[in-house]
């Protein structure tokens, strides 16, 4: 398939299982769409074919699972005699649709690895004392893939995997502000905020956009001006806390962290992920070989509220037999991110570890009768079952901001009233058991007991 627009000429080159079939299918391709994304793991393609000839239903019938390697070639694009090439990468044809009248065949492919274990096989691994890059290299090696890594590497003290390699690695990268993408038999991991800091690859004035194709939105819902992180390490019996920013829209995060530095990176990443799509600008231009997902553009001539640098989240290139070559862009406005070095935090160890400290099997053995009586008088006793309904949960007895909200049946851990709050746990067998960090779910206000 080839298209000519204002003296320019664009054509599709296609390899099917490493064999060039461009000439054979040129007269039958109705459209070709290549979706390049920096927000999802996989790019995708769709090829629509006029399949009214008998050959497409017999000897030319494609097989799912085969590889497709398309390229878009542009001739005389800017000046007479120049040539541009867009290598879309290698795709696995994962679906196919045929419709009669007029007899149309649609081939769809994704850039993820062909091995279904990558996205379908659940694994129960525990990764310890390693890094994100080492984990990615191990996973890539399982499928014979290369690895590209552009960003800081982070230590991973412990991470449990309960799912396929693809989704696990994608979630891990997201927690640390990284983006995972599969491209041409390679896993590519990069720091999105670092890419946003790069220069714009192209200016896009309003007049260059196809009329009626552009839209701009700003949505504050789900975005944050600050964040708080809390985690109780059950092995160290230590409370890790961190915070950054402020204001009324504060994100509360409660998940595993090995240190204050680790918590700071995760908190900054979570805030940046949430704020990523606060401002969106979508538009179409004539076929463009310079616009790619993960690159930046500078929008112009819309006024100071909308002009500025934008990050290309998704870029879709479409060639049609009748309509030429167009490029659609979904972009997000670039704003100042949160950085981990801006996050303040602390770690507090709750248990004494001196050798002379006596060992107890439960906290009941360390509780004085007077303290127990006073706490019981306030309405709570150790082991008591309580019903909670959307109850604020705190990580310490004096924390001002809740770390979570819980509902259901819980139990007073030891019935000791501290600063107006009780410790709770989720099973009777954990009540009073040491160490505290392994058995306590959190703190609730005394007013919630029986509520």
């Amino acid at each position: 398939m080839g298209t000519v627009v204002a003296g320019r000429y664009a054509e599709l080159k296609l390899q099917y299982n490493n064999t060039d079939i461009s000439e054979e299918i040129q007269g039958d391709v109705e459209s070709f769409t290549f979706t390049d994304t920096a927000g999802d793991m996989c790019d995708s393609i769709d090829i629509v074919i006029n399949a009214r000839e008998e050959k497409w239903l017999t000897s030319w019938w494609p097989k799912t699972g085969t590889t497709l390697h398309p390229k878009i070639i542009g001739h005389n694009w800017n000046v007479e005699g120049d040539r541009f090439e867009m290598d879309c990468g290698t795709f696995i044809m994962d679906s196919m649709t045929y419709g009669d009248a007029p007899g149309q065949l649609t081939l769809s492919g994704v850039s993820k690895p062909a091995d279904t274990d990558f996205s379908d096989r659940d694994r129960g691994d525990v990764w310890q004392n390693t890094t994100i890059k080492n984990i990615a290299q191990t996973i890539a090696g399982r499928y014979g893939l290369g690895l590209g890594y552009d960003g800081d590497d982070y230590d991973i003290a412990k991470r449990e995997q309960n799912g396929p390699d693809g989704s696990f690695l994608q979630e891990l990268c997201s927690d640390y502000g990284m983006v995972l993408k599969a491209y041409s038999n390679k896993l590519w991991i990069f720091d999105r905020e670092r890419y946003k800091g790069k220069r714009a690859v192209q200016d896009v004035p309003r007049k260059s956009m196809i009329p009626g194709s552009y839209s701009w939105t700003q949505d504050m819902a789900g975005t944050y001006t600050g964040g708080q992180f809390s985690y109780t390490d059950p092995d160290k019996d230590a409370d890790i806390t961190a915070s950054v920013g402020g204001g009324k829209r504060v994100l509360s995060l409660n998940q595993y962290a090995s240190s204050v530095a680790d918590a700071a990176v995760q908190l900054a990443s979570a805030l940046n992920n949430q704020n990523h799509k606060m401002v969106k600008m979508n538009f179409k231009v004539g076929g463009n070989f310079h616009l790619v997902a993960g690159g930046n553009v500078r929008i112009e001539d819309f006024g100071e509220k909308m002009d500025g640098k934008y990050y290309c989240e998704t870029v879709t290139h479409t060639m049609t037999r009748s309509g030429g070559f167009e490029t659609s862009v979904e972009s997000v406005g670039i704003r100042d991110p949160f950085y981990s070095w801006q996050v303040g935090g602390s770690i507090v160890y709750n248990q004494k570890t001196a050798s002379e400290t006596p060992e107890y099997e439960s906290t009941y053995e360390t509780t004085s009768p007077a303290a127990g009586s006073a706490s019981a008088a306030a309405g709570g006793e150790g082991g008591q079952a309580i019903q909670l309904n959307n109850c604020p949960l705190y990580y310490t007895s004096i924390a001002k901001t809740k770390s979570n909200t819980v509902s259901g049946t819980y139990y007073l851990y030891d019935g000791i009233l501290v600063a107006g709050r009780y410790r709770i746990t989720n099973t009777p067998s954990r009540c009073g058991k040491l160490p505290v960090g392994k058995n306590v779910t959190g703190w609730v206000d005394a007013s919630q007991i029986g509520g």
Side-chain angles (χ1 to χ4, degrees):
M1 177 184 70
T3 61
V4 180
V5 180
R8 298 173 174 177
Y9 179 72
E11 61 177 332
L12 172 67
K13 295 292 186 180
L14 181 64
Q15 288 186 352
Y16 179 91
N17 280 346
N18 299 319
T19 299
D20 192 336
I21 61 171
S22 306
E23 295 297 328
E24 288 89 336
I25 68 170
Q26 179 174 324
D28 296 327
V29 176
E30 294 289 344
S31 67
F32 169 74
T33 301
F34 165 46
T35 301
D36 177 18
T37 177
D40 296 322
M41 183 169 60
C42 300
D43 294 341
S44 63
I45 58 169
D46 291 288
I47 306 173
V48 179
I49 295 173
N50 180 337
R52 281 175 287 187
E53 292 190 26
E54 187 70 19
K55 64 184 180 182
W56 285 105
L57 300 180
T58 54
S59 60
W60 281 29
W61 185 258
K63 296 180 180 179
T64 56
T66 56
T67 61
L68 301 172
H69 189 166
K71 296 180 181 180
I72 300 176
I73 311 297
H75 302 276
N76 308 319
W77 211 250
N78 292 330
V79 296
E80 185 72 23
D82 69 1
R83 181 182 186 276
F84 287 92
E85 178 178 307
M86 182 185 300
D87 189 337
C88 305
T90 303
F91 296 80
I92 303 301
M93 195 175 77
D94 66 339
S95 69
M96 184 169 59
T97 303
Y98 176 80
D100 200 5
Q104 197 172 75
L105 185 64
T106 301
L107 312 180
S108 300
V110 292
S111 60
K112 70 179 181 180
D115 193 328
T116 57
D117 282 359
F118 183 77
S119 55
D120 296 336
R121 178 186 173 185
D122 288 338
R123 294 180 181 271
D125 296 334
V126 178
W127 303 85
Q128 291 182 298
N129 301 320
T130 183
T131 68
I132 294 180
K133 189 174 182 179
N134 286 339
I135 293 174
Q137 285 177 329
T138 300
I139 290 177
R142 288 174 177 169
Y143 308 100
L145 302 173
L147 176 68
Y149 196 97
D150 189 3
D152 293 332
D153 196 9
Y154 296 102
D155 292 332
I156 302 298
K158 182 179 180 180
R159 185 82 175 209
E160 295 183 5
Q161 177 179 349
N162 295 295
D165 284 333
S167 56
F168 164 74
L169 186 56
Q170 189 173 31
E171 181 181 357
L172 175 65
C173 289
S174 178
D175 284 347
Y176 288 85
M178 311 292 283
V179 173
L180 169 65
K181 181 172 179 175
Y183 175 79
S184 285
N185 298 315
K186 188 175 187 178
L187 297 182
W188 179 250
I189 296 174
F190 63 92
D191 185 329
R192 182 169 59 198
E193 297 304 322
R194 183 176 296 182
Y195 273 45
K196 289 182 181 179
K198 295 184 177 183
R199 68 176 183 84
V201 298
Q202 196 170 72
D203 295 337
V204 183
R206 183 173 184 171
K207 64 182 180 181
S208 70
M209 299 179 186
I210 296 174
S213 71
Y214 43 82
S215 64
W216 184 92
T217 59
Q218 179 173 324
D219 189 356
M220 303 296 288
T223 64
Y224 297 92
T225 55
Q228 295 183 337
F229 186 105
S230 64
Y231 176 71
T232 297
D233 190 319
D235 297 320
K236 301 175 183 177
D237 195 14
D239 293 327
I240 298 174
T241 60
S243 64
V244 66
K248 297 181 179 179
R249 302 194 309 275
V250 178
L251 173 68
S252 294
L253 204 62
N254 184 6
Q255 59 193 40
Y256 175 81
S258 59
S259 64
V260 174
D262 187 28
V265 173
Q266 293 189 59
L267 179 58
S269 298
L271 288 167
N272 293 333
N273 288 340
Q274 291 294 130
N275 294 342
H276 174 60
K277 294 185 178 181
M278 180 188 297
V279 176
K280 302 177 184 178
M281 180 73 165
N282 299 338
F283 59 90
K284 288 183 181 180
V285 295
N288 192 304
F289 287 88
H290 301 291
L291 299 180
V292 296
N296 301 321
V297 295
R298 189 168 299 279
I299 303 298
E300 299 177 336
D301 303 330
F302 282 91
E304 63 174 315
K305 299 297 184 182
M306 291 165 37
D307 284 358
K309 194 167 75 165
Y310 288 73
Y311 172 84
C312 296
E313 183 85 353
T314 303
V315 180
T316 302
H317 304 278
T318 302
M319 296 176 63
T320 60
R321 182 186 299 279
S322 58
F325 179 25
E326 289 183 352
T327 299
S328 303
V329 178
E330 298 177 17
S331 65
V332 296
I334 297 176
R335 52 176 289 167
D336 291 337
F338 286 95
Y339 296 100
S340 60
W341 49 262
Q342 296 173 322
V343 179
S346 64
I347 182 169
V348 177
Y349 294 91
N350 299 315
Q351 282 194 291
K352 298 182 182 300
T353 58
S355 59
E356 65 272 18
T357 302
E359 294 184 358
Y360 300 97
E361 291 186 359
S362 76
T363 57
Y364 298 129
E365 298 178 48
T366 68
T367 303
S368 70
S373 298
S375 300
E381 295 183 1
Q384 174 183 337
I386 56 175
Q387 295 295 322
L388 302 178
N389 183 23
N390 292 325
C391 174
L393 184 72
Y394 301 90
Y395 61 87
T396 69
S397 62
I398 59 173
K400 295 180 179 180
T401 303
K402 68 178 182 179
S403 59
N404 202 353
T405 301
V406 294
S407 297
T409 303
Y410 287 83
Y411 302 86
L412 295 188
Y413 171 70
D414 55 8
I416 306 302
L417 186 67
V418 179
R421 289 177 183 163
Y422 288 102
R423 284 183 284 201
I424 63 170
T425 186
N426 55 2
T427 61
S429 61
R430 294 179 182 269
C431 292
K433 294 297 182 182
L434 296 174
V436 176
K438 284 188 176 182
N439 296 286
V440 169
T441 303
W443 294 78
V444 299
D445 290 331
S447 60
Q448 297 288 337
I449 303 305

